[in-house]
Amino acid sequence: MRILIVEDDRALASGLKRSLASLGYAVDHEADAADAVGLATREAYNLVVLDLGLPNGSGYDVLRAIRRAGLKTPVMILTARDHVSEKVKALDLGADDYVNKPFALAEFEARVRALVRRGFGVSDALIEFGPLQFDTVQHVARLEGTPLDLRRRELAVLHLLLVQAGKLVPKARLISEVFGLDDAVGPNALELYIARLRKKLGAGGLRIRTVRGLGYMLEKD
C-alpha cells in the first residue's frame, strides 16, 4: 500500500513516515502544496494524509485538485485547525476524515488502516480467501491457521493480490503501490517477491498466476 504525506513540519512527517513504513506501507512525503498537487494527481496512492497550512497554497487546494482530477483516493486531513467550519469545508470538498493535532499515534494508524480498507471496498479488518487469512491490523498472513514468515514488501504484494483475488492485478500497479519514490527498484524486484510468495504459499491450495505481459492473479487451485 502506498501513502502520500503532505506536511510542512518535517519532523512530524519524518516520524509518521517511519511509523507507517514499519507497518508495511510505502510512504512518500511532500511539503509544498503546488508540488503535492502534481504528485497526488500523477502517482497512484491508497491514501493521502494532508495538512491544511502549506507553502505555495493550502491543503484545500490540494484536495480540490485531487477531486477535480476525478480521483477517489481517500484523503485524511491532519491539522491543528479545530474549528467546526474548517471541518465542514474539508469534508464538503471531499475529505474522508479529519484529525486534529495533537493526536495519538495508535488512533492515527487505526484511521489509516480504515481508510485504506475503504479505498478497496473492504470493511472487515480480516480478509479471507480460501485457506488464506490476512489480518490488516496485526499485519500477519496465515495459511490454514499457521502464520507465514513474510517480509514487509512480501506482505504488501500479497495484500494487493488478496484484495483483488480472482482478478488481474497489473504489474505496473503492483510496482507503483508497493514501492515509494525513494526506493531503489531493480528491474526484477517484483518478480523476486512473487517467487518468494509462491514458495511460501506452497501446496496450500492457492497459486499466483502470471498473465504474461500484463500482471498477476491470486487464484484457488
Side-chain angles (χ1 to χ4, degrees), residues 29-179:
H29 170 238
E30 181 55 66
D32 181 273
D35 292 339
V37 167
L39 200 56
T41 55
R42 184 179 67 249
E43 301 288 334
Y45 290 103
N46 302 105
L47 174 65
V48 175
V49 178
L50 180 61
D51 188 16
L52 292 180
L54 299 167
N56 295 320
S58 73
Y60 292 126
D61 297 327
V62 180
L63 179 56
R64 284 192 191 95
I66 291 172
R67 296 304 179 230
R68 285 175 180 171
L71 299 174
K72 297 180 180 179
T73 310
V75 175
M76 176 199 292
I77 302 297
L78 192 65
T79 180
R81 302 181 189 180
D82 60 358
H83 198 278
V84 171
S85 63
E86 300 274 9
K87 297 178 182 180
V88 171
K89 181 178 181 180
L91 294 170
D92 282 346
L93 285 174
D96 297 273
D97 199 1
Y98 194 105
V99 178
N100 285 124
K101 303 173 184 176
F103 54 88
L105 184 59
E107 179 184 354
F108 169 77
E109 293 173 349
R111 288 176 180 269
V112 165
R113 289 192 294 267
L115 289 173
V116 170
R117 288 198 303 269
R118 185 187 303 174
F120 282 106
V122 177
S123 58
D124 198 331
L126 185 66
I127 306 171
E128 298 183 85
F129 185 66
L132 182 64
Q133 292 183 328
F134 193 105
D135 186 329
T136 61
V137 175
Q138 300 298 325
H139 291 271
V140 174
R142 294 181 175 85
L143 187 64
E144 296 179 336
T146 302
L148 294 173
D149 182 16
L150 300 178
R151 297 181 181 180
R152 177 171 63 89
R153 287 210 177 102
E154 292 169 1
L155 279 167
V157 172
L158 181 60
H159 189 184
L160 277 168
L161 292 172
L162 186 55
V163 295
Q164 298 290 317
K167 299 177 183 179
L168 174 69
V169 182
K171 180 178 179 180
R173 179 181 176 186
L174 283 164
I175 291 173
S176 70
E177 295 191 18
V178 169
F179 301 99

